[in-house]
């Protein structure tokens, strides 16, 4: 009996092994060049040890003679696109073949996952049409006083830190948390000075995911059907946000309060089904605008606006600390423009061209989202004749493209002149996409830029940032897939500009 049991175990293990590695022939069978997959990790065993953008960059360089190539992440075949012209097809020209970011649908019970970034197909399209008017230049001008108040709070906080060595990420995160809280809910949590505030701690759940959910997320790399289980956002975060949105809407409607912020626009969307007066909308399938849906949009607005913008500001101040000549040039522009306008205003920020160049170069060297995902929703034939099937996962290696010397000579050098009026025209389309591109480009990109510019302007106008003994010459990157973050806190020193 024992030999039979042992034999069955051996056969079962071998069968499971063969099943696991069977996926590793996907690209070879189609005649598409690929990085071979090996049990159990796929094309690389380093994804959890190194920054995935750098791991994929090694493959990107290895496969440099191909416009696209296949690879495997655990058991999921991915098509990695290098060629900007094919990226244009996927992101824009033939977008209808690649409308979704994920093959699976997020569980409906995970209410905070039902937001614009995640939604598929017609649901995404219907909501995008509804929300697009939220971030027009006119709406941003209306929110500008809220941003200005938060930038003044940042300035006042940092005045007490002059002479200190700081992890500026803590302060940029506090600033972005306050701006989003103000522009979304009308809250004034002052998290710059109160880092333990509930709204600031709301998103620490990404580091505290329970073991079961971690196993499910890891297992999705092998078995995609597991995506229908588990919860990305803890129930306590969901309940907190739904209550906050519900209470805010009820209070404003009862007291007829208007603040020209994101919540005002969501209230209008809830009550009228549209944003704006008399705006004509593209006809889409009906969309149930309820509190859960509004809370989900607020969730992504909070998380995306807080983390991405604070990360860009942190990288920008780090680079400026290492390059005092660039910092001084930026400071002189800020002084000149503000003297012309007499105050910090929306128009003044728009006229700070070098500030825009500096932030653009920061987002090139440190793209917040290092990989752009798409899923083929209807079969597509490449110009070469290769067939992309429904359900195939596609990604654009943004980190690699932004650091490709063919597109950006001496890519490790921080050089804002790449984005000067004289040089920006030489940047090849679809080689610079910090907010994505095409119909699914980040809907809040204007807000994110404005928030980031206000933060950098506030610091450089009032202080100098300089390196200290603990400031690294080059920063190691954290081994996570979603955001380009330093592996260790980056410390710089804040000194008086006089």
């Amino acid at each position: 009996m024992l030999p039979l049991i042992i034999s069955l175990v051996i056969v079962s293990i071998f069968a499971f092994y063969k099943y696991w590695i069977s996926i590793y022939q996907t690209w070879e069978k189609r005649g598409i060049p690929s990085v071979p997959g090996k049990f159990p990790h796929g094309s690389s065993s380093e994804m959890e040890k190194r920054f995935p953008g750098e791991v994929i960059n090694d493959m990107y360089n290895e496969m440099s003679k191909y416009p696209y190539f296949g690879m495997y992440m655990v058991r999921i075949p991915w098509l990695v696109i290098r060629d900007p012209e094919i990226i244009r097809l996927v992101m824009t020209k033939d977008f209808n073949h690649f409308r979704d970011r994920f093959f699976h649908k997020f569980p409906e019970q995970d209410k905070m996952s039902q937001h614009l970034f995640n939604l598929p197909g017609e649901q995404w399209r219907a909501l995008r049409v509804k929300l697009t008017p939220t971030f027009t230049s006119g709406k941003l001008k209306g929110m500008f006083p809220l941003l200005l108040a938060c930038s003044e709070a940042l300035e006042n906080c940092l005045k007490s830190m002059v002479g200190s060595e700081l992890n500026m990420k803590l302060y940029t995160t506090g600033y972005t948390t306050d701006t989003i809280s103000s522009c979304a809910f009308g809250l004034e949590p002052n998290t710059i000075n109160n880092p333990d505030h509930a709204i600031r701690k709301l998103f620490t759940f990404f580091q505290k995911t329970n073991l079961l959910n971690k196993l499910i997320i890891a297992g999705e790399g092998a078995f995609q059907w597991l995506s229908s289980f588990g919860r990305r956002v803890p129930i306590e975060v969901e309940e907190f946000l739904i209550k906050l949105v519900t209470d805010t809407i009820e209070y404003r409607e009862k007291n007829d309060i208007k603040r020209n912020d994101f919540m005002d626009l969501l209230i209008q969307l809830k009550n009228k089904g549209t944003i704006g007066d008399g705006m004509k909308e593209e006809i889409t399938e009906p969309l149930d605008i309820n509190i859960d849906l509004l809370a989900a949009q607020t969730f992504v607005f909070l998380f995306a606006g807080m983390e991405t913008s604070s990360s860009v500001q942190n990288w920008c101040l780090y680079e400026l600390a290492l390059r005092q000549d660039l910092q001084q040039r930026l400071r002189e522009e800020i002084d000149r423009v503000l003297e012309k306008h007499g105050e910090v205003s929306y128009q003044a920020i728009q006229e700070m061209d070098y500030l825009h160049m500096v932030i653009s170069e920061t987002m090139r060297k440190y793209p917040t989202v290092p990989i752009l995902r798409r899923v083929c929703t209807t079969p597509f034939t490449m110009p070469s004749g290769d067939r992309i099937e429904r359900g195939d996962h596609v990604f654009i290696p943004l980190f690699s493209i932004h650091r490709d010397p063919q597109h950006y000579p001496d890519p490790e050098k921080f050089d804002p002149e790449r984005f000067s009026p004289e040089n920006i025209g030489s940047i090849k389309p679809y080689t610079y996409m910090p907010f994505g591109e095409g119909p699914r480009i980040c809907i809040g990109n204007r807000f994110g830029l404005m928030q980031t510019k206000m933060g950098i302007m506030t610091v450089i106008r009032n202080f100098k940032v300089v390196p200290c003994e603990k400031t690294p010459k080059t920063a190691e990157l954290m081994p996570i897939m979603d955001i380009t973050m330093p592996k260790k806190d980056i410390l710089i020193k804040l000194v008086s500009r006089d």
Side-chain angles (χ1 to χ4, degrees):
M1 187 67 179
L2 183 60
L4 178 60
I5 293 174
I6 294 174
S7 298
L8 288 174
V9 170
I10 292 173
V11 169
S12 297
I13 291 174
F14 180 74
F16 179 77
Y17 169 78
K18 294 297 288 184
Y19 166 74
W20 188 283
I21 66 171
S22 64
I23 203 75
Y24 297 154
Q25 298 299 312
T26 300
W27 302 120
E28 288 82 348
K29 288 178 180 178
R30 297 195 202 173
I32 294 175
S34 64
V35 180
K38 296 180 181 179
F39 179 86
H41 303 285
S43 295
S44 175
S45 61
E46 296 188 301
M47 285 295 186
E48 295 182 2
K49 303 173 187 175
R50 295 171 56 200
F51 175 56
E54 293 176 326
V55 176
I56 292 166
N57 192 54
D58 292 343
M59 302 181 199
Y60 179 94
N61 293 328
E62 178 187 343
M63 308 295 283
S64 60
K65 64 181 179 179
Y66 303 109
Y68 48 86
F69 64 91
M71 62 160 288
Y72 304 92
M73 292 179 67
V74 190
R75 289 191 70 254
I76 296 181
W78 287 85
L79 187 70
V80 184
I81 303 182
R82 301 179 78 262
D83 186 280
E85 181 54 32
I86 298 178
I87 293 173
R88 182 181 73 88
L89 298 181
V90 170
M91 303 290 279
T92 305
K93 186 174 184 294
D94 294 296
F95 168 76
N96 283 337
H97 292 270
F98 302 93
R99 291 202 303 180
D100 296 348
R101 286 195 172 97
F102 305 97
F103 182 71
H104 62 272
K105 287 187 177 182
F106 289 85
E108 290 187 7
Q109 66 269 21
D110 192 358
K111 297 175 183 177
M112 294 303 98
S113 292
Q114 311 302 312
H115 53 70
L116 194 64
F117 186 87
N118 287 347
L119 288 176
E122 287 304 307
Q123 287 179 293
W124 162 79
R125 182 166 167 263
L127 188 59
R128 177 83 186 205
V129 169
K130 299 284 187 185
L131 291 178
T132 293
T134 303
F135 297 102
T136 62
S137 57
K139 297 293 192 302
L140 289 181
K141 288 180 182 178
M143 295 181 191
F144 187 80
L146 305 177
L147 288 169
L148 181 59
C150 293
S151 68
E152 291 171 349
L154 174 63
E155 175 187 342
N156 291 331
C157 174
L158 291 178
K159 283 179 179 178
S160 64
M161 300 295 167
V162 170
S164 302
E165 296 178 359
L166 305 175
N167 174 11
M168 282 300 299
K169 181 64 164 60
L170 298 177
Y171 297 91
T172 60
T173 300
Y175 159 70
T176 57
T177 303
D178 286 351
T179 58
I180 297 294
S181 298
S182 179
C183 292
F185 297 110
L187 300 176
E188 297 180 4
N190 190 23
T191 65
I192 295 174
N193 296 299
N194 183 18
D196 291 327
H197 191 283
I199 201 81
R200 176 81 172 263
K201 297 171 72 175
L202 195 62
F203 293 100
T204 58
F205 72 84
F206 278 106
Q207 291 100 40
K208 298 179 180 178
T209 307
N210 63 57
L211 178 60
L212 176 60
N213 221 39
K214 284 183 177 179
L215 291 173
I216 290 173
I217 292 171
E220 288 172 8
F223 308 104
Q224 293 186 54
W225 52 267
L226 284 173
S227 302
S228 300
F229 299 91
R231 171 178 284 276
R232 296 297 184 278
V233 182
I235 189 66
E236 58 269 23
V237 175
E238 177 181 296
E239 291 174 348
F240 178 93
L241 282 174
I242 290 176
K243 184 177 188 304
L244 183 57
V245 170
T246 301
D247 291 349
T248 302
I249 290 176
E250 288 180 355
Y251 181 78
R252 290 195 186 188
E253 290 184 334
K254 181 179 179 180
N255 296 280
D256 194 27
I257 293 174
K258 305 290 183 185
R259 287 189 83 249
N260 291 319
D261 59 9
F262 185 61
M263 187 58 64
D264 273 0
L265 300 171
L266 291 183
I267 291 171
Q268 186 177 353
L269 180 61
K270 176 181 74 75
N271 293 336
K272 298 183 179 180
T274 185
I275 294 174
D277 298 320
M279 295 186 65
K280 291 183 179 179
E281 291 188 354
E282 179 183 357
I283 297 174
T284 60
E285 69 173 26
L287 188 67
D288 181 20
I289 307 296
N290 54 44
I291 291 295
D292 291 348
L293 186 71
L294 297 183
Q297 310 325 306
T298 303
F299 168 82
V300 75
F301 183 43
L302 276 166
F303 178 68
M306 285 163 51
E307 188 53 52
T308 59
S309 181
S310 65
S311 183
V312 171
Q313 290 171 68
N314 188 45
W315 285 121
C316 185
L317 292 170
Y318 164 65
E319 289 286 354
L320 291 175
L322 297 179
R323 291 291 305 273
Q324 292 294 309
D325 55 334
L326 305 184
Q327 185 180 153
Q328 182 57 28
R329 179 178 170 183
L330 176 57
R331 186 175 293 109
E332 290 171 358
E333 178 190 68
I334 291 169
D335 290 346
R336 183 175 64 254
V337 173
L338 292 184
E339 182 179 3
K340 171 186 171 183
H341 285 267
E343 63 179 355
V344 178
S345 65
Y346 179 85
Q347 186 58 39
I349 298 296
Q350 298 304 311
E351 291 181 16
M352 295 180 184
D353 296 334
Y354 194 66
L355 175 61
H356 187 80
M357 291 163 56
V358 167
I359 291 173
S360 296
E361 174 66 352
T362 303
M363 294 189 295
R364 177 203 67 82
K365 189 173 180 182
Y366 306 100
T368 307
V369 180
I371 295 166
L372 303 178
R373 304 174 54 135
R374 291 294 185 270
V375 170
C376 182
T377 50
T378 57
F380 180 74
T381 302
M382 291 285 200
S384 63
D386 288 327
R387 180 90 164 167
I388 309 302
E389 302 294 346
R390 181 180 181 276
D392 282 349
H393 294 256
V394 176
F395 73 60
I396 289 82
L398 198 58
F399 183 85
S400 299
I401 292 168
H402 279 194
R403 295 193 180 207
D404 189 331
Q406 293 185 60
H407 307 314
Y408 300 98
D410 196 5
E412 296 298 321
K413 180 181 179 182
F414 186 80
D415 183 11
E417 286 301 318
R418 302 180 203 272
F419 295 90
S420 68
E422 297 77 21
N423 295 329
I424 196 168
S426 64
I427 295 177
K428 193 170 184 178
Y430 295 87
T431 63
Y432 179 70
M433 300 175 289
F435 295 102
E437 195 50 83
R440 286 200 86 135
I441 191 171
C442 174
I443 194 172
N445 60 346
R446 292 183 185 181
F447 181 90
L449 268 176
M450 177 59 66
Q451 179 179 228
T452 300
K453 288 179 179 180
M454 286 288 287
I456 297 299
M457 183 278 299
T458 298
V459 176
I460 300 304
R461 177 193 182 193
N462 294 285
F463 313 97
K464 286 183 180 179
V465 289
V466 299
C468 62
E469 290 184 3
K470 298 177 182 177
T471 306
K473 289 291 192 290
T474 57
E476 289 186 74
L477 301 175
M478 187 178 291
I480 57 173
M481 177 71 75
D482 299 325
I483 296 178
T484 305
M485 298 177 65
K487 189 173 183 178
K488 298 179 180 179
D489 293 340
I490 294 177
L491 298 182
I492 57 179
K493 191 172 182 178
L494 196 69
V495 300
S496 172
R497 61 169 291 181
D498 298 325

